[in-house]
Amino acid sequence: MALKRIELLGVPVDVCRLNELDGEIIRILEKPGTKQIVFLSVWDLLRARNKKKDFCECLKNADLILPISKSIISGAKFLRYEDIPVRYNPFDATILFLSAVDQHYKSIFLLGGRKKTLQQAERNVHETFPNIRIVGRYVGYFPKDCEADVITAIHKASPSLAIISEGIKEKNLWAFHRRDKFASSIFLYYNDCLGIFSKRIRRVSEKTFERGHEIWSEIAHNPFKIFLIFPFSLYVLLLLWSRFFRKPKMAVGDIITEQKEPEQKAEETPSPLAAQKTDDAEDLELE
């Protein structure tokens, strides 16, 4: 059964419950060709609204889009969707992906980080998931003339899962722009992944993440991120405009359902964005 995919402010987001995630990972693993899983933040969502940019196409072609910002969930509730996405901690979700790879004796490729970080991360992954075959690794921050070697290494290794981390400038778009050059792999970009696995980076606490306050730790490390308040304000204005002035749109998944029964008499059905009989939506929070 296919997952429900909604559009929030015109950007696709998958509604994947925790009990559905393992089956979805297996489905993607068995699917031929190059695949991609995307962790979607509210900042990514705003970037994807530009239909002329490649990131919008990247999301449309992604096999799984998991929201990681509390603001995305709050936004879906504010617009009164019938199907509300589930927010994932990117580190916990990555562990679930690796567990699925481990249980089915699949392989991974690690791309990114400095040499010591990459080596330590590889050792820790091997100790934690002994059934995973690490078929290759390559450091990030590599010069442009080394890219052909990286692509060749991944193509020949043909890993079940390729984890892309720090040092890859194009982030999610790196795999998307080169998707025709690989055999059959899932690509996942998570910037802090190798840093956390190597214990060089301290992961955000569960309590901080659940409250949606991880942005404050990021601001503590990079004070210039305080200016993210401006795009966040734009996000709030877009939600207000969408709720009060725009006509509701069908969710992506509903379009297929309606096409399956063309002979049936059209009946008046509620839109996924129709108002539900609930109290005022939760307040939106930064991140």
Side-chain angles (χ1 to χ4, degrees), residues 21-39:
L21 185 59
D22 187 63
E24 190 63 20
I25 296 170
I26 301 305
R27 182 191 69 80
I28 298 173
L29 280 170
E30 295 174 347
K31 183 179 176 182
T34 302
K35 292 87 65 175
Q36 190 165 14
I37 297 174
V38 177
F39 290 138

Side-chain angles (χ1 to χ4, degrees), residues 39 68 90-91 94 113 117 121 141 163-167 189-204 214 217-218 221 225:
F39 290 138
I68 62 174
F91 179 79
T94 302
T117 297
Y141 307 99
I163 296 179
I164 303 175
S165 190
E166 59 184 306
Y189 173 76
Y190 175 24
N191 187 73
D192 293 340
C193 182
L194 298 181
I196 294 175
F197 282 156
S198 66
K199 299 182 179 180
R200 182 179 60 82
I201 297 176
R202 185 177 179 180
R203 58 174 298 203
V204 176
E214 63 271 24
S217 62
E218 294 180 25
H221 288 91
K225 286 196 173 185

Side-chain angles (χ1 to χ4, degrees), residues 46-97:
L46 289 170
R47 185 158 63 101
R49 294 191 74 254
N50 188 337
K51 306 300 181 183
K52 296 181 181 179
K53 297 294 184 180
D54 290 346
F55 191 57
C56 178
E57 285 300 314
C58 175
L59 290 184
K60 288 180 180 179
N61 287 276
D63 295 88
L64 185 61
I65 306 170
L66 299 178
I68 62 174
S69 293
K70 191 173 183 179
S71 300
I72 294 178
I73 310 305
S74 300
K77 291 178 179 178
F78 181 73
L79 294 181
R80 296 179 175 177
Y81 275 85
E82 291 182 352
D83 296 285
I84 304 298
V86 175
R87 181 182 179 223
Y88 283 88
N89 184 317
F91 179 79
D92 293 342
T94 302
I95 294 298
L96 291 175
F97 298 152

Side-chain angles (χ1 to χ4, degrees), residues 82-218:
E82 291 182 352
D83 296 285
I84 304 298
V86 175
R87 181 182 179 223
Y88 283 88
N89 184 317
F91 179 79
D92 293 342
T94 302
I95 294 298
L96 291 175
F97 298 152
L98 290 174
S99 296
V101 173
D102 182 68
Q103 290 171 12
H104 293 81
Y105 297 87
K106 300 291 185 178
S107 59
I108 65 170
F109 191 104
L110 303 177
L111 175 62
R114 302 291 184 182
K115 185 177 180 180
K116 289 184 178 180
T117 297
L118 183 58
Q119 290 175 339
Q120 185 60 50
E122 181 184 7
R123 284 193 291 268
N124 291 340
V125 169
H126 182 70
E127 290 175 2
T128 307
F129 304 98
N131 295 327
I132 288 181
R133 292 182 294 113
I134 302 178
V135 293
R137 67 172 187 267
Y138 210 101
V139 295
Y141 307 99
F142 52 80
K144 188 69 176 178
D145 56 3
C146 290
E147 185 174 285
D149 295 334
V150 178
I151 294 173
T152 300
I154 297 176
H155 178 79
K156 288 184 176 180
S158 189
S160 302
L161 174 65
I163 296 179
I164 303 175
S165 190
E166 59 184 306
I168 306 301
K169 187 176 180 180
E170 293 179 75
K171 302 180 180 180
N172 281 296
L173 289 176
W174 190 87
F176 176 71
H177 286 154
R178 297 156 184 83
R179 60 193 182 280
D180 296 332
K181 298 182 179 181
F182 303 112
S184 179
S185 301
I186 301 173
F187 286 85
L188 170 69
Y189 173 76
Y190 175 24
N191 187 73
D192 293 340
C193 182
L194 298 181
I196 294 175
F197 282 156
S198 66
K199 299 182 179 180
R200 182 179 60 82
I201 297 176
R202 185 177 179 180
R203 58 174 298 203
V204 176
S205 69
E206 290 291 338
K207 184 180 292 186
T208 299
F209 182 81
E210 287 299 323
R211 292 175 177 174
H213 293 168
E214 63 271 24
I215 185 63
W216 301 115
S217 62
E218 294 180 25

